[in-house]
Amino acid sequence: MSDIEGLTEKVLHDLHWAGLAEEPTTTCSTSSMEGYVDVLVSDSSGMGVGFSIDVSGTEASILYQLADRIPDAYVELCSVGLPVVPGSHRPARPRLTQNEVIWEDSDESGTWQCRVGAYPGPSTGTST
């Protein structure tokens, strides 16, 4: 489970600067379905958004699933869409490359990207 938590932290790293009044809690637990882990994003009121991920694949495929689902959970729970493409209001989307997972501008493919876990803060420029 600690590997999943480490991968989850990479995604959460890119969401931390969002300026939320209260940062949601993200927990992982063994699913009732074999080969899956349940992820729950929740706030102090008890509201939460949960989903399952398939952990039978590569580390990159697991990171991709987390990068794809955690931002959506933040949107549902906090009414914010993160992370955004720097200099725009468009949400970045994850993409699984051959060896890693990156955030990219899905509207303008190839114009901006950064590795999951290395998202620039609001005062920095672009990252590659």
Side-chain angles (χ1 to χ4, degrees), residues 7 53-68 96-101:
L7 295 173
I53 60 167
D54 180 354
V55 294
S56 64
T58 65
E59 184 174 286
S61 71
I62 295 167
L63 180 59
Y64 171 80
Q65 291 174 77
L66 292 167
D68 187 48
L96 178 60
T97 66
Q98 188 173 18
N99 297 315
E100 64 184 354
V101 180

Side-chain angles (χ1 to χ4, degrees), residues 42-55:
S42 57
D43 64 19
S44 63
S45 74
M47 295 294 294
V49 177
F51 55 89
S52 296
I53 60 167
D54 180 354
V55 294

